[in-house]
Amino acid sequence: SQQGEEDPQALSIQEGENATMNCSYKTSINNLQWYRQNSGRGLVHLILIRSNEREKHSGRLRVTLDTSKKSSSLLITASRAADTASYFCVTRDTGTASKLTFGTGTRLQVTL
Amino acid sequence: DVKVTQSSRYLVKRTGEKVFLECVQDMDHENMFWYRQDPGLGLRLIYFSYDVKMKEKGDIPEGYSVSREKKERFSLILESASTNQTSMYLCASSLVQGDGYTFGSGTRLTVV
């Protein structure tokens, strides 16, 4: 069953611009993670934010979490062509020790 | 660099064949997972294992089985391949249950 729903489904921006992707989920979570997937490859873990955190940074990435609205956003600043990929919001629900639930992803295209 | 290695990038098998997908990790992780990824459906969990010889069903275990005889190796078995099992198969591992996963590059399986 899917939990996170990413918005938009596809996003096209120019190099140097910022990209914002949003995620909504339905149940209580322990943590929320974002992954990147380049075309036809495996997923790469980007960042994890726990339910008691509101914001987290990693390099050009900024993630926010609003548990009252059950939503998260991923901001990529100063985007590069190499950021072109699909981005997935992934939740770990409370009460599920090991199972993560994946959304269907946002397809980001960064053009020169 | 830590790694999850899937034995094949592309595989073509005939209907009814028994298919083995192998996954090996070199990070001494307890937890390993098998997902399949299909357009519009995202990633769906097939099976996972949190210890040697232990296995748990995921969301879509039907038609699949798994084997974990050694900590570093987690095998997915399609007992009798069918065309609806044509998909991208992704193996992952994690140190802490429910935290960041490390994924392999994926195996694109086509059943004809």
Side-chain angles (χ1 to χ4, degrees):
Chain A
S1 59
Q2 292 169 12
Q3 163 82 301
E5 290 187 13
E6 292 91 342
D7 173 56
Q9 290 188 327
L11 180 62
S12 183
I13 60 173
Q14 291 193 317
E15 202 170 46
E17 293 180 338
N18 295 342
T20 300
M21 289 162 266
N22 302 297
C23 169
S24 60
Y25 57 90
K26 296 172 185 167
T27 62
S28 295
I29 61 170
N30 180 284
N31 68 52
L32 185 145
Q33 306 171 36
W34 287 89
Y35 287 76
R36 183 188 75 229
Q37 184 180 33
N38 292 89
S39 181
R41 308 292 296 190
L43 281 75
V44 175
H45 181 258
L46 296 176
I47 197 164
L48 180 154
I49 186 165
R50 301 198 184 277
S51 60
N52 61 352
E53 297 175 306
R54 292 295 167 258
E55 188 170 311
K56 206 159 183 181
H57 297 255
S58 176
R60 294 184 295 112
L61 305 180
R62 174 180 164 244
V63 170
T64 62
L65 179 65
D66 187 336
T67 52
S68 66
K69 294 181 179 178
K70 292 186 167 54
S71 67
S72 172
S73 67
L74 171 68
L75 169 68
I76 304 174
T77 59
S79 63
R80 306 166 181 167
D83 295 328
T84 294
S86 291
Y87 291 82
F88 292 85
C89 163
V90 182
T91 55
R92 175 188 167 186
D93 300 347
T94 54
T96 60
S98 58
K99 182 181 169 183
L100 300 184
T101 306
F102 288 75
T104 53
T106 291
R107 175 71 188 162
L108 173 65
Q109 177 77 41
V110 181
T111 56
L112 296 171
Chain B
D1 201 11
V2 293
K3 268 190 172 178
V4 175
T5 303
Q6 294 183 231
S7 53
S8 305
R9 283 297 318 280
Y10 299 95
L11 213 50
V12 179
K13 295 292 181 181
R14 296 195 179 277
T15 302
E17 275 193 78
K18 190 168 186 176
V19 181
F20 293 85
L21 302 183
E22 305 287 346
C23 176
V24 177
Q25 50 97 1
D26 64 1
M27 296 164 286
D28 203 33
H29 285 174
E30 302 285 347
N31 309 289
M32 296 188 75
F33 309 85
W34 275 106
Y35 285 85
R36 65 176 282 178
Q37 183 178 25
D38 301 286
L41 297 177
L43 273 76
R44 293 179 291 168
L45 181 63
I46 305 171
Y47 267 97
F48 65 99
S49 168
Y50 52 86
D51 202 352
V52 176
K53 296 192 186 293
M54 305 301 289
K55 60 184 178 184
E56 294 280 346
K57 292 180 180 179
D59 297 320
I60 51 163
E62 296 78 20
Y64 303 95
S65 62
V66 290
S67 172
R68 187 136 182 233
E69 296 297 317
K70 293 184 177 181
K71 190 176 187 179
E72 66 270 18
R73 186 180 297 270
F74 191 36
S75 303
L76 180 69
I77 303 154
L78 286 67
E79 296 291 341
S80 177
S82 64
T83 55
N84 62 14
Q85 293 178 309
T86 291
S87 186
M88 168 72 98
Y89 289 87
L90 293 161
C91 175
S93 72
S94 73
L95 180 62
V96 176
Q97 288 188 12
D99 277 8
Y101 288 7
T102 302
F103 278 86
S105 297
T107 295
R108 188 166 293 280
L109 172 68
T110 301
V111 182
V112 297

